[in-house]
Amino acid sequence: MPVKSVNISGTTPPLVSFIITTYGLSNEIIQECVEHILSLSLNSKEREIILIDNGSGEFPSKKLIDGKEDITYIRKKNLPLSQARNIGIQLATGDYIQFLDGNGYLVSAPYEHCLDIIRFHNPDLVFFQETHNKKPGTSFSLTGPITGSAYLHDHTLKASAYGYLFRHKILGRLRFSTKILHEDEDFTPQLCLRGERIYYTDANAYFSRESSDCAVMKNNKRYHLTCLPDIEKVIAHLQDLSDQLPEADRVALQYRVAQLSMDYLYQTIQITRSTRHLNNAIEWLRKRGLFPLPDKNNSRKYYLFRKAVNTKIGRKILLLTVPR
C-alpha cells in the first residue's frame, strides 16, 4: 500500500510524531493504539501518526485510515523492527518523536503529563514508566533537568524505545542498528548522551500487553541462546564507542556497559544453567577488560550479583538460585 501523504498547513511542524510499528496484530489492537493517540490534547496539526506495518497481519480498517490526513500508513512484508523504526524516523517531521509498539498504547492522563513537560520545560528527553495496569494512578513526579551523561551515570537505564519522548533534532545521524536483535539497548544510551536537558517522571504513561508470541518466546531456550551473541555485540559496540567520547560521557557509558555486562551474565545463567556457558561468557568479558565486574555505585541487584559472580563459589550458588 502506498504512503498516504500528510497535509499540514503552514510551515509549523507538528509537536509530536508518533511512530507505531506493528507485527501480526489485529485491527482491533491497532485501532486501540491509534485511538488513544487521537484522544490526547493534540489537534491534527500538532501530531502526526506514522504506522509501519510488517504485512503479517490484517490491513487496518478504512475507518481507521481513511480521511485522516495526520496518519501515514506503510505496509511492507517481513520488515524488521529496527528498519521499521528507521523508516518512521525518515518520515517524521515533528519536533518530538514517540515510538510505540502497536500492541500497547499511551495512557491518557499520565501521558498528558509528559506532553505538558515538553510544552513548558523544553526537554531533550522525557523518561516515563511502563505499566501493565489499564488504570494506573494519577499522581506524577517530575525530576530534572539533568544532562544525559548524569542521567546515564546515576540511573539504571530502561532502554525500551517506547519508554521516552525525545526531541527530534538530537538524533543527528543516529539510527537503530539493523544487524542486532537488541537494538534498543544499543540505541537508547547513545540517544541519552545527546541530551542536555533530561527529565524523568514516575508517570505510568505506556500500557504494554504481552502477546502470545512473546509468551512463547520466553520459554524458547533456543531463541534466547541466539540472543546472547547480540548482547555481546551491543556491549562491544558501546565499550568501543566510550573510548571516543569526552570524559563525562565516557564514564557514563562505561557505567552502562557494566550494567549490560551484569545482565549478560545473569541471562546466561538464567537461560543455560550451565557452568561451561557461564565460564565462556566470563572469559569473553575478561578479554575485553570487563571482568571481574567493576565496583560501580550501581543498583542493589548489581552489587549483590557482582559480589557473587566474581567468585567461584558465588557462581555455583547463582547457577542454583537465579530464577528461571
Side-chain angles (χ1 to χ4, degrees):
M1 179 177 288
V3 179
K4 178 183 290 186
S5 61
V6 182
N7 180 20
I8 301 175
S9 60
T11 59
T12 303
L15 181 64
V16 184
S17 296
F18 298 94
I19 300 174
I20 307 171
T21 51
T22 72
Y23 180 90
L25 299 177
S26 67
N27 268 332
E28 181 181 5
I29 295 295
I30 297 172
Q31 185 159 341
E32 184 177 28
C33 179
V34 172
E35 285 180 348
H36 273 79
I37 296 173
L38 297 177
S39 71
L40 296 170
S41 60
L42 297 167
N43 63 42
S44 61
K45 294 180 181 180
E46 294 176 311
R47 68 173 180 244
E48 66 178 356
I49 300 171
I50 301 169
L51 181 57
I52 313 291
D53 182 352
N54 86 328
S56 61
E58 306 173 41
F59 277 100
S61 66
K62 290 185 177 181
K63 179 182 177 182
L64 176 64
I65 299 297
D66 286 0
K68 295 184 176 64
E69 294 185 344
D70 55 346
I71 296 181
T72 298
Y73 176 72
I74 294 177
R75 185 178 176 95
K76 188 170 182 180
K77 190 173 181 180
N78 298 325
L79 190 67
L81 176 60
S82 55
Q83 291 185 28
R85 286 175 174 167
N86 288 341
I87 289 173
I89 290 171
Q90 182 180 355
L91 295 173
T93 63
D95 290 335
Y96 288 85
I97 289 178
Q98 175 68 63
F99 292 110
L100 296 96
D101 180 348
N103 201 38
Y105 58 78
L106 299 171
V107 186
S108 296
Y111 197 76
E112 290 290 354
H113 175 60
C114 299
L115 291 177
D116 284 343
I117 295 171
I118 66 173
R119 286 170 175 141
F120 300 114
H121 295 281
N122 193 34
D124 290 324
L125 285 102
V126 179
F127 285 98
F128 49 81
Q129 302 299 311
E130 172 189 1
T131 182
H132 300 290
N133 183 355
K134 291 189 176 183
K135 296 181 179 181
T138 55
S139 177
F140 316 129
S141 68
L142 176 61
T143 305
I146 62 173
T147 64
S149 59
Y151 183 87
L152 201 59
H153 187 273
D154 296 338
H155 297 80
T156 300
L157 184 71
K158 295 180 180 178
S160 297
Y162 49 67
Y164 50 83
L165 180 63
F166 67 96
R167 190 188 300 276
H168 191 167
K169 71 179 182 181
I170 71 171
L171 265 177
R173 296 183 179 180
L174 178 63
R175 297 294 183 269
F176 289 92
S177 173
T178 60
K179 299 178 181 179
I180 55 175
L181 294 175
H182 292 264
E183 61 272 359
D184 290 11
E185 293 287 7
D186 185 66
F187 177 88
T188 300
Q190 294 184 71
L191 181 69
C192 186
L193 287 177
R194 292 166 181 248
E196 293 297 324
R197 294 177 55 82
I198 309 293
Y199 285 83
Y200 53 100
T201 173
D202 62 357
N204 292 308
Y206 186 84
F207 173 77
S208 177
R209 63 164 63 83
E210 184 176 80
S211 67
S212 57
D213 288 341
C214 288
V216 170
M217 286 301 186
K218 277 188 175 181
N219 298 315
N220 188 329
K221 180 178 178 180
R222 181 174 295 179
Y223 168 78
H224 286 292
L225 282 173
T226 63
C227 291
L228 291 176
D230 282 309
I231 299 176
E232 292 178 357
K233 291 177 184 177
V234 172
I235 292 171
H237 179 234
L238 294 180
Q239 184 189 24
D240 293 343
L241 180 63
S242 71
D243 293 335
Q244 308 168 27
L245 299 176
E247 178 69 11
D249 290 353
R250 180 182 63 80
V251 171
L253 195 53
Q254 287 177 347
Y255 185 91
R256 181 58 183 165
V257 168
Q259 292 175 338
L260 289 173
S261 298
M262 184 208 76
D263 290 341
Y264 169 57
L265 295 177
Y266 189 93
Q267 290 185 51
T268 299
I269 294 170
Q270 196 172 47
I271 294 165
T272 69
R273 301 288 163 176
S274 163
T275 300
R276 178 175 62 84
H277 280 92
L278 178 57
N279 287 340
N280 287 342
I282 287 172
E283 186 58 26
W284 183 84
L285 290 173
R286 195 190 305 275
K287 288 179 178 178
R288 294 198 65 91
L290 298 173
F291 192 89
L293 294 180
D295 184 10
K296 300 286 185 180
N297 182 19
N298 229 308
S299 66
R300 178 170 173 79
K301 177 182 177 181
Y302 178 92
Y303 172 79
L304 294 174
F305 186 86
R306 172 187 168 273
K307 295 285 285 187
V309 81
N310 283 352
T311 68
K312 289 184 178 180
I313 186 64
R315 292 195 283 273
K316 290 181 180 179
I317 294 172
L318 288 170
L319 284 165
L320 294 172
T321 59
V322 167
R324 295 183 181 276

